[in-house]
């Protein structure tokens, strides 16, 4: 059970030495209670405090690690129901299905598509996390051969969808070195699956008809010492999935019921309506699924879904940043306008969209400002005239344009003078305050310059 | 040991807002639509009442829209009606069974076609003659002319229960007065901010706009373009409303289509980016996911564009409304 700040305070030295970085032991205790810091920041913590806090600081949702190296996935360890309360930590792993009874060409094509599903967006790589091998052949040898083919062709961990532990035993051995998940065990197959998962070092998905049975199944597995568990509630209509995922997360966080303290999975039905399927995946991303298994899919679904996942799992305290430097919008020439703004990703996105819509390609020089928006960055002293001037000179934009004009965001018109001082020979123009007015600015001001 | 489920009940409830008036209600619409009324988090039927289905309105521009946010993959669904909002309204009602339409007067924008207000009002009248569903009237953006245009639309369609979009903190007085005088609803737009949303509701109710005539637009960030800000602001507002804050308990409206269809991701053809897949379906899904995500954070009314995206979201709403 979690300890309160005061309970923790009583276990601390109470010397207010400040070495942990907090002004008082009480302040530090409050942070510990909120699970925002770890006890090891306190150099004088007693063994008693360590063991008491150790027990209390077990995360309410256990971390389950799948795979190794660059493609390792971590699930669980979530601490909130709403992202604005802190953040969602481990992004939902999207896993794409391929059936073991496909012809070779189709099978290989599907694998290469899964491998290619990796996108660079807002300074991050967002990608499909796992390959799912669905047992449709009913043949253990064929299943194992396909598993071997996947391990040879792709670096991703593998999920095996097969209800029969004997049937998937060889396939599980084939993916053992890569890592993955067995999907999955019911009350009837639990013991055999735990044996197999332990032997092959794979995680295990648990399936049950009701939440009660699911929690009991997990406790049974834990009693056998096996905790690499992912909970898969029954798949139904979207309202049912929403209910199950929400209740599991509440039982883990609010009630700290051990049988529900594991990451969850969502198994998307094998329906033929790919829009509806994609929206079911969107539900799982927003509402608490750690792993989503998508049996049939098309490439066009992936970028929208991975973008949603990136949005939902962005830390609300740390907005996404873009890297400083020169960006092209369209195919700008040496006569195109040069816009300047901060590296707040939202600002960047809005501005590129509006420059694109203005019909005039442009250069965009992004100034590093800790991901703050224009006004915030300016008031924090990160986006002054000198900073902008330096960034312009260091960016090398001068080599790409024939004119010497830059366009500042309208909100920081006050830095125009300082920027001109830092940029001798340059004309510093003041653009619109809002990105949405870029088109009007281009039409009314830039085009009138007749560059 | 039997499991007692961790259910939550809330003291607050989202207000119901009625769009459109039928003949029996003093208007000429074939139906009216009520949104809101839930006393639980979105689609949490298991612990409260979610009586009203979220509604979707088709957005129809009054003049041929620009390619920049109506790319070809979207235009192809409306090829024969792009220059004719009346035919467009008939098409979405007859072919796509639209339950609600949102007439968007982009043509009134002084920076674009700068159509006179009287012309816009004529378009509204003709559209309301042509179709019988409730109507939302959306201006071109905040400004004097915009407020005047919407107020005139309200006056000329009195008794029909139209919805005016949108009032903002800098321009709300004309619209508040028109809302009261002509029995309209008013969309209150605030810039992705919990406190500013509440402040505008207070300003409007101080002017005696009945709270059950207000719909909140928290400003929509499209998928990949600030979506998460809108999502979280809506969750926070909704939690406050359910917690009992009566000045936050208005239902939400989101302009989804206009944000989704201006993004780069819907405009790039598959030949250019093979791993992005088919451009048409990708664009439809971009709009549908933006809409769907906002439903999960509390939206009651979505303004959308592509018929396939609307159909996909309607199907999902069927599932989300199933108890």
């Amino acid at each position: 059970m979690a300890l309160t700040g005061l309970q923790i305070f009583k276990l601390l030295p109470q010397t207010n030495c400040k070495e942990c970085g907090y002004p008082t032991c009480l302040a530090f205790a409050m942070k510990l209670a909120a699970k925002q810091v770890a006890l090891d920041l306190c150099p004088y913590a007693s063994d008693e405090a360590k063991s008491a806090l150790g027990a209390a600081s077990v995360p309410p949702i256990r971390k389950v690690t799948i795979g190794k190296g660059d493609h390792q996935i971590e699930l669980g360890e979530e601490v909130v129901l709403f992202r604005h309360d802190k953040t969602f930590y481990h992004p939902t792993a999207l896993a794409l299905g391929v059936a073991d009874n496909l012809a070779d060409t189709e099978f290989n094509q599907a694998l290469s598509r899964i491998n290619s599903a990796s996108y660079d967006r807002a300074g991050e790589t967002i990608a499909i996390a796992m390959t799912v091998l669905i047992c449709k052949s009913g043949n253990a040898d064929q299943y194992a051969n396909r598993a071997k083919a996947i391990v040879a062709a792709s670096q991703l961990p593998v999920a095996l969808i097969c209800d029969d532990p004997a049937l998937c035993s060889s396939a599980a051995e084939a993916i053992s070195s890569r890592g993955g998940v067995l999907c999955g065990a019911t009350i009837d197959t639990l013991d055999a699956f735990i044996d197999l998962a332990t032997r092959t070092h794979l995680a295990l998905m648990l399936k049950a008809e009701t939440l009660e049975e699911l929690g009991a199944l997990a406790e049974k597995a834990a009693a056998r010492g096996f905790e690499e568990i992912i909970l898969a509630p029954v798949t139904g209509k979207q309202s049912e999935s929403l209910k199950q995922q929400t209740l599991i997360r509440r039982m883990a966080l609010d009630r700290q019921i051990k049988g529900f303290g594991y990451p969850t999975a969502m198994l998307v039905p094998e329906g033929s309506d790919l829009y509806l399927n994609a929206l079911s995946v969107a539900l799982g991303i927003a509402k608490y699924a750690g792993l989503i298994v998508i049996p049939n899919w098309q490439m066009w679904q992936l970028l929208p879904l991975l973008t949603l996942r990136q949005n939902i799992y962005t830390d609300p305290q740390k907005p996404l940043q873009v890297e400083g430097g020169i960006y092209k919008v369209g195919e700008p020439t040496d006569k195109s306008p040069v816009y300047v703004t901060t590296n707040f990703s939202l600002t960047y996105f809005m501005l590129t969209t509006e420059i694109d819509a203005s019909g005039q390609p442009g250069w965009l020089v992004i100034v590093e400002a800790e991901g703050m928006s224009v006004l915030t960055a300016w008031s924090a002293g990160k986006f002054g005239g000198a900073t902008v001037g330096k960034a312009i000179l260091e960016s090398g934009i001068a080599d790409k344009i024939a004119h010497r004009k830059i366009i500042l965001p309208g909100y920081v018109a006050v830095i125009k003078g300082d920027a001109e001082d830092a940029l001798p020979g340059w004309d510093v123009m003041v653009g619109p305050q809002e990105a949405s007015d870029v088109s009007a600015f281009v039409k009314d001001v830039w085009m009138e310059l007749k560059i | 040991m039997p499991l007692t489920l961790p259910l939550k009940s809330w003291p607050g409830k989202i207000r119901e807002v009625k769009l459109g008036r039928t003949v029996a209600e003093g208007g000429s619409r074939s139906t009216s639509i009520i949104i809101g009324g839930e006393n639980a988090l979105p689609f949490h039927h298991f612990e409260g009442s979610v009586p009203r289905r979220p509604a979707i309105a088709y957005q129809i521009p009054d003049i041929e829209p620009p390619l920049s946010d109506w790319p070809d993959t979207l235009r192809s669904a409306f090829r024969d009606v792009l220059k004719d909002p009346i035919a467009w309204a008939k098409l979405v009602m007859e072919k796509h069974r639209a339950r609600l339409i949102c007439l968007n007067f982009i043509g009134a924008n002084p920076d674009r076609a700068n159509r006179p207000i009287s012309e816009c009002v004529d378009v509204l009248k003709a559209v309301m003659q042509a179709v019988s569903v409730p109507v939302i009237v959306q201006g071109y953006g905040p400004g004097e002319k915009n407020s005047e245009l919407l107020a005139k639309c309200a006056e000329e369609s009195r008794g029909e229960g139209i919805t005016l979009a949108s009032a903002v903190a800098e321009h709300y007085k004309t619209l508040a007065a028109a809302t009261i005088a002509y029995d309209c609803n008013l969309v209150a737009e605030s810039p992705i901010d919990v406190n500013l949303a509440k402040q505008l509701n207070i300003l409007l109710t101080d002017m005696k706009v009945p709270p059950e005539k207000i719909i909140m637009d928290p400003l929509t960030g499209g998928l990949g373009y600030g979506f998460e800000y809108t999502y979280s602001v809506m969750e926070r507002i909704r939690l406050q409303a359910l917690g009992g804050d009566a000045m936050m308990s208005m239902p939400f409206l989101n302009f989804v289509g206009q944000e989704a269809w201006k993004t780069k991701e819907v405009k790039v053809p598959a030949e250019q980016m093979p791993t992005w897949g088919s451009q048409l379906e990708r664009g439809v899904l971009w709009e549908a996911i933006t809409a769907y995500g906002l439903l999960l954070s509390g939206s009651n009314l979505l303004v959308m564009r592509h018929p396939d995206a609307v159909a996909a979201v309607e199907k999902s709403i069927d599932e989300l409304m199933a108890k």
Side-chain angles (χ1 to χ4, degrees), chain A residues 303-376:
Chain A
L303 182 61
L305 287 170
L306 288 166
T307 303
L308 176 71
R309 189 194 68 182
Q310 183 182 39
N311 282 175
I312 294 285
Y313 278 84
T314 292
D315 184 343
Q317 311 299 321
K318 277 185 256 162
L320 280 178
Q321 303 182 18
V322 288
E323 273 179 54
I326 303 175
Y327 292 79
K328 284 184 186 181
V329 186
E331 290 299 329
T333 67
D334 60 356
K335 295 185 173 60
S336 299
V338 178
Y339 301 88
V340 182
T341 195
T342 72
N343 65 336
F344 179 36
S345 69
L346 196 52
T347 304
Y348 165 80
F349 281 137
M350 307 258 264
L351 198 52
T352 48
T353 306
E354 296 297 337
I355 295 170
D356 196 32
S358 76
Q360 277 295 320
W363 301 98
L364 182 55
V365 177
I366 295 294
V367 180
E368 299 266 3
E370 295 176 13
M372 289 188 266
S373 65
V374 168
L375 268 182
T376 318

Side-chain angles (χ1 to χ4, degrees), chain A residues 41 48 78 85 90 119 124 146 158 181 183 224 239 241 250 256 259 272 293 305 332 387 395-396 398 434 442:
Chain A
L41 286 178
E48 186 202 357
E78 302 298 340
D85 281 336
H90 295 307
Y119 311 90
E124 285 184 346
R146 288 305 197 199
V158 184
V181 192
C183 317
R224 275 200 56 185
S239 58
S241 295
R250 279 189 195 163
Q256 306 191 330
S272 58
V293 174
L305 287 170
T387 317
S395 71
E434 299 295 340
V442 166

Side-chain angles (χ1 to χ4, degrees), chain B:
Chain B
M1 196 177 71
L3 203 58
T4 49
L5 295 176
L7 304 183
K8 279 201 164 75
S9 60
W10 302 87
K13 180 180 161 203
I14 305 312
R15 290 173 201 275
E16 293 190 333
V17 175
K18 188 199 268 186
L19 292 90
R21 299 287 181 270
T22 63
V23 176
E25 294 161 347
S28 70
R29 304 295 89 196
S30 58
T31 54
S32 52
I33 291 177
I34 299 175
I35 55 168
E38 59 269 35
N39 66 359
L41 287 165
F43 312 106
H44 280 209
H45 306 283
F46 54 93
E47 57 187 1
S49 161
V50 185
R52 307 285 180 186
R53 186 186 169 89
I56 302 178
Y58 272 92
Q59 191 178 38
I60 302 174
D62 68 324
I63 57 169
E64 183 175 357
L67 269 170
S68 56
D69 66 334
W70 287 83
D72 282 328
T73 40
L74 173 59
R75 295 166 103 80
S76 63
F78 304 108
R79 186 159 288 133
D80 301 325
V81 298
L82 282 170
K83 292 177 184 170
D84 184 351
I86 297 143
W88 194 324
K90 277 189 188 158
L91 176 83
V92 294
M93 190 171 158
E94 284 159 16
K95 185 171 171 199
H96 304 303
R97 296 198 203 89
R99 299 179 213 203
L100 200 59
I101 61 169
C102 172
L103 195 53
N104 181 196
F105 284 109
I106 55 172
N109 191 336
D111 292 335
R112 290 199 185 165
N114 199 17
R115 291 180 98 183
I117 288 174
S118 59
E119 245 180 64
C120 298
V121 172
D122 289 343
V123 172
L124 171 65
K125 283 182 179 166
V127 166
M128 294 197 67
Q129 281 269 309
V131 299
S132 62
V133 295
V135 175
I136 300 166
V137 176
Q138 180 192 11
Y140 60 85
E144 293 295 329
K145 182 183 175 187
N146 192 61
S147 299
E148 235 179 277
L149 163 66
L150 295 179
K152 194 70 185 163
C153 288
E155 185 184 346
E156 295 293 328
S157 64
R158 74 179 74 189
E160 294 286 6
I162 69 165
T163 299
L164 309 175
S166 303
V168 295
E170 297 77 26
H171 294 276
Y172 69 91
K173 289 185 178 158
T174 310
L175 294 174
T179 301
I180 299 165
Y182 307 115
D183 186 29
C184 301
N185 303 311
L186 184 55
V187 177
E189 175 195 310
S190 49
I192 318 192
D193 186 292
V194 174
N195 298 322
L196 295 179
K198 180 170 176 170
Q199 193 186 330
L200 185 54
N201 288 342
I202 292 171
L203 289 173
L204 292 172
T205 48
D206 279 353
M207 275 195 73
K208 304 292 181 238
V209 177
E212 67 276 9
K213 302 277 184 184
I214 301 173
I215 305 173
M216 278 190 278
D217 173 7
L219 214 65
T220 298
L223 181 63
Y225 294 83
F227 170 85
E228 71 274 29
Y229 294 88
T230 302
Y231 181 88
S232 284
V233 157
M234 286 172 65
E235 285 200 325
R236 289 170 60 201
I237 292 176
R238 186 49 56 91
L239 287 166
Q240 285 195 23
L242 292 174
D245 188 336
M247 273 303 115
M248 291 294 223
S249 61
M250 294 70 175
F252 287 121
L253 169 149
N254 295 91
F255 288 104
V256 171
Q258 63 194 39
E259 300 305 321
W261 289 99
K262 72 179 181 190
T263 62
K264 179 177 76 184
E265 286 82 352
V266 309
K267 292 179 191 165
V268 175
E271 301 79 61
Q272 217 170 313
M273 283 291 196
T275 60
W276 289 19
S278 162
Q279 186 190 352
L280 172 64
E281 283 91 344
R282 186 198 328 137
V284 168
L285 188 59
W286 207 269
E287 181 177 22
I289 288 185
T290 308
Y292 185 82
L294 297 172
L295 283 176
L296 295 180
S297 56
S299 192
N300 302 90
L301 177 50
L302 303 160
V303 180
M304 298 181 64
R305 289 183 175 175
H306 200 292
D308 294 347
V310 173
V313 175
E314 288 281 13
K315 267 194 204 170
S316 274
I317 294 176
D318 289 344
E319 291 210 0
L320 288 167
M321 288 302 286
K323 283 177 197 163

Side-chain angles (χ1 to χ4, degrees), chain A residues 45-364:
Chain A
S46 64
D47 289 343
E48 186 202 357
K50 281 178 192 159
S51 72
L53 268 169
S57 66
V58 171
I61 299 176
R62 189 186 161 88
K63 177 163 89 174
V64 172
T65 304
I66 299 167
K68 298 177 185 75
D70 287 349
H71 295 278
Q72 178 173 297
I73 308 160
E74 293 180 335
L75 307 176
E77 282 190 321
E78 302 298 340
V79 294
V80 292
L81 280 142
F82 299 99
R83 61 185 289 283
H84 63 255
D85 281 336
K86 190 161 169 55
T87 187
F88 293 165
Y89 284 106
H90 295 307
T92 311
L94 301 189
L96 298 183
V98 47
D100 73 334
N101 62 349
L102 288 179
D104 285 350
T105 43
E106 275 178 88
F107 184 83
N108 292 330
Q109 200 174 38
L111 286 189
S112 79
R113 286 207 194 112
I114 294 171
N115 283 335
S116 72
S118 171
Y119 311 90
D120 289 326
R121 204 170 186 294
E124 285 184 346
T125 300
I126 51 178
I128 291 300
M130 295 180 87
T131 314
V132 180
L133 182 61
I134 306 166
C135 186
K136 290 214 168 154
S137 66
N139 179 309
D141 291 337
Q142 172 153 2
Y143 199 46
N145 283 336
R146 288 305 197 199
K148 281 178 202 153
I150 290 179
V151 171
S154 154
Q155 298 298 311
L156 303 178
V158 184
L160 296 178
I161 298 213
C162 178
D163 290 333
D164 179 348
L167 183 59
C168 66
S169 163
S170 308
E173 278 156 18
I175 66 165
S176 171
S177 60
R178 173 60 47 80
V181 192
L182 298 170
C183 317
T186 61
I187 186 68
D188 299 325
T189 54
L190 183 69
D191 284 322
F193 262 120
I194 289 179
D195 292 341
L196 180 59
T198 308
R199 182 155 52 89
T200 51
H201 311 290
L202 298 173
L204 180 59
M205 185 185 285
L206 303 182
K207 301 194 289 185
E209 290 297 314
T210 67
L211 287 179
E212 227 158 343
E213 290 165 8
L214 191 58
L217 200 56
E219 287 187 17
K220 220 170 151 189
R224 275 200 56 185
F226 188 86
E227 295 210 72
E228 302 306 305
I229 293 170
I230 300 168
L231 303 175
V234 279
T235 303
K237 290 210 161 74
Q238 290 172 8
S239 58
E240 186 61 23
S241 295
L242 172 65
K243 174 184 170 183
Q244 307 259 351
Q245 294 283 345
T246 303
L247 289 175
I248 291 175
R249 171 115 0 147
R250 279 189 195 163
M251 286 190 282
L253 296 185
D254 300 348
R255 297 257 179 99
Q256 306 191 330
I257 301 173
K258 187 152 180 354
F260 295 101
Y262 300 96
T264 62
M266 177 192 255
L267 302 164
V268 177
E270 212 165 319
S272 58
D273 183 337
L274 292 181
Y275 288 130
L276 194 64
N277 286 2
L279 295 181
S280 294
V281 177
L283 173 69
I285 290 170
K287 294 296 170 185
Y288 316 135
L291 168 67
I292 302 181
V293 174
I294 310 168
N296 51 334
W297 49 274
Q298 290 289 334
M299 286 308 278
W300 55 261
Q301 296 175 305
L302 306 182
L303 182 61
L305 287 170
L306 288 166
T307 303
L308 176 71
R309 189 194 68 182
Q310 183 182 39
N311 282 175
I312 294 285
Y313 278 84
T314 292
D315 184 343
Q317 311 299 321
K318 277 185 256 162
L320 280 178
Q321 303 182 18
V322 288
E323 273 179 54
I326 303 175
Y327 292 79
K328 284 184 186 181
V329 186
E331 290 299 329
T333 67
D334 60 356
K335 295 185 173 60
S336 299
V338 178
Y339 301 88
V340 182
T341 195
T342 72
N343 65 336
F344 179 36
S345 69
L346 196 52
T347 304
Y348 165 80
F349 281 137
M350 307 258 264
L351 198 52
T352 48
T353 306
E354 296 297 337
I355 295 170
D356 196 32
S358 76
Q360 277 295 320
W363 301 98
L364 182 55

